[in-house]
Amino acid sequence: MTEQGMSSLGEVMQEHCEVYREIRSHRSRKRRQGSGPITPGTMLTILRPVVDLAAYRELFTVDAYRPGFTPWEGHTVSEVAGWETYALSSTPPVAEEVLQPTVAAALYLVETLGPLVAEELERVQEARASKGGQNPREITAKHRAAVTAALDRHVREQMPLLAIDARQVTRRIKRGWRPDDPLLHVDVGDFFGKVIRSRYVRIADHLIEDLRPLLEPAVAKAGVAGAFGRDASRVPSVDDAQQLVPWTLALAGDQVRSLQIVLLAACRVLVAALSGMRAGELDEMTADSPQPPVTVSGGTQRFKLGSKLIKGQEFGGVAEEWVVLEPAWRAVKLAARLNQAREGQRAFARSPMDFLHKRLREWVNSPAGQRLGLAPIPAGPVNGRMLRRTLALSLAHRPGGLLAAKIHLKHVSVVTTEGYANRPGGSQGNLLAEVEREQDKSHLKLTKEAFEDCRAGRMPAGPGARELIKAFEHIDAQLKDHEPGTAAVLEAERRLENLLRQQSKHLHLQTANYCWFRDPHKALCLRLAGTPDATKPLGGMCDSAGHSPPLSPACLAESGRHRQGLPGQPALSQGREEAA
């Protein structure tokens, strides 16, 4: 203010604020030699007090802004500083090389192994409940005869003796057992109880020593294995569907419970990846969250999950519904079954997503996961916010593409849009709003690439090509007439984006085609379908052939030509622009 010749805040005008922002946009070269522009975050900190002086005007009794004046009125401080909020841009998406094998593994676990693991887990719980009775005090001759006969049958049929849990192994070592003891992993108590047709919780160590001469030769010949999953059913291998492999090797009780955690991790990762639900919303899922499927026209079904919306709501949250894909719906039902959750009880434990993904990755990369043909998951950060961001970007940039095996983004987009229409302003509505923002950015980027192609002489084709070329030529002429300021490159880029923004609104991405839908009356797909007043192209009438997206057959018939894209680039067609 002193440099501008002012002595009171009442003299400040918008021009002074602009000068202040311009002066502060570069660090003082006296303090930092050769430094460039400051970051938007720092600028936000600098400009906030300038605006706050207007917000707290009534508190100043000596000097204040003039009544009614607010710097940059109508704009937030973040907009003026060029700062994008955390929710929109700071969270990175999950790396593609991590996302693909993660979602594929989660799908396989939920759909193929989930029911099998749930059955074995129920067997573990039944076996635990059946234990009881008294411990034996001595080994009689009758006991020895029964044990000998039972061991002979194990050796003859090559039936391994049951193994104990890892925690029981640890207890034995603490009691003085050698780590290389051949009976260290043998569940002698369970074996002895079945032999004499009684139920014993545990057999004392000194009695095991009495049976050792009988047990050690049998263990050496028959081996030791877990009690669960011994006769595992066969499932298709992931990398070769024609090859059937047992879904698991024999497991001890603690191994089944560890696999339960892996399945729960897969369920939560899958629901987050396919629905974009936040951690608080997943935490509120209960056993009755999966609502009965609703049959809609055409015989298809819609699947909904009921939970609570927590973020930005009053304490305790508000009831909310999500329209989801069937795999996500089944994943919640499986999670509730694995946790034995009853009505009103939580389906998921409150565990951080990065911890759950780590458990899932460790199992997939272990011999158990590789035996089933699962692709290894590389190391990389994965959390709930990143999965939500990834889904938004995938829907915005790759409509109709594949998120992972058997999961079509088009289907995800349909249910997300349906959820938005069903509950405006809800969680899915917020996700869809972010998708649309990213879609606008993607369309602007593709429009800029099309403009550069046109500048380089690679012209579009189709009934509306002339109008599109004229529009690009008009924009090119405006750029040549414009005299940029000192920051020539940055100013030119911004001006180009502003000029192309309107054109980008006409761009529609199909499964394999780019469609510049500018004039519906020139669109051959609408003319052939008899709907010339439609507001969107009929993407199903476009086709692809060769190595790049060509025109639809109808467009080819009309234009008689189409442009092939450069290696590694999509072909751009004005036929898809107006016709598809």
Side-chain angles (χ1 to χ4, degrees), residues 48 73 84 115 140 178-179 193 205 318 368 396 415 432 498 509 523 542 566:
R48 189 179 298 280
E73 188 171 5
E84 293 187 2
T140 64
R178 300 190 321 274
D205 289 350
V318 296
V415 298
L432 190 62
N498 290 333
L509 299 184
C542 287
L566 295 176

Side-chain angles (χ1 to χ4, degrees), residues 421-560:
N422 186 46
R423 313 275 283 193
S427 179
Q428 280 187 299
N430 295 333
L431 175 62
L432 190 62
E434 183 175 352
V435 170
E436 291 173 348
R437 285 192 294 269
E438 293 299 331
Q439 198 171 52
D440 290 341
K441 294 179 183 178
S442 176
H443 285 188
L444 181 59
K445 177 177 177 291
L446 293 174
T447 304
K448 186 177 177 182
E449 292 176 359
F451 173 73
E452 296 297 339
D453 277 352
C454 192
R455 266 185 165 182
R458 296 186 290 272
M459 301 298 180
R466 292 181 180 179
E467 287 79 1
L468 182 62
I469 294 172
K470 287 180 180 179
F472 284 161
E473 290 176 346
H474 177 70
I475 292 172
D476 195 20
Q478 285 186 291
L479 288 175
K480 291 179 180 178
D481 293 340
H482 176 64
E483 291 295 336
T486 55
V489 177
L490 181 60
E491 179 67 20
E493 285 293 317
R494 288 179 177 174
R495 183 169 177 79
L496 175 61
E497 290 184 358
N498 290 333
L499 293 171
L500 291 176
R501 199 174 302 278
Q502 186 62 32
Q503 296 296 325
S504 69
K505 295 179 180 179
H506 302 301
L507 177 60
H508 293 262
L509 299 184
Q510 309 300 339
T511 303
N513 300 315
Y514 288 3
C515 176
W516 296 91
F517 192 76
R518 293 164 50 84
D519 187 354
H521 295 285
K522 291 186 179 180
L524 295 181
C525 62
L526 301 188
R527 287 157 56 185
L528 293 174
T531 57
D533 297 325
T535 59
K536 292 184 178 181
L538 300 179
M541 297 187 68
C542 287
D543 195 8
S544 62
H547 66 276
S548 59
L551 294 167
S552 67
C555 298
L556 286 173
E558 180 72 17
S559 66

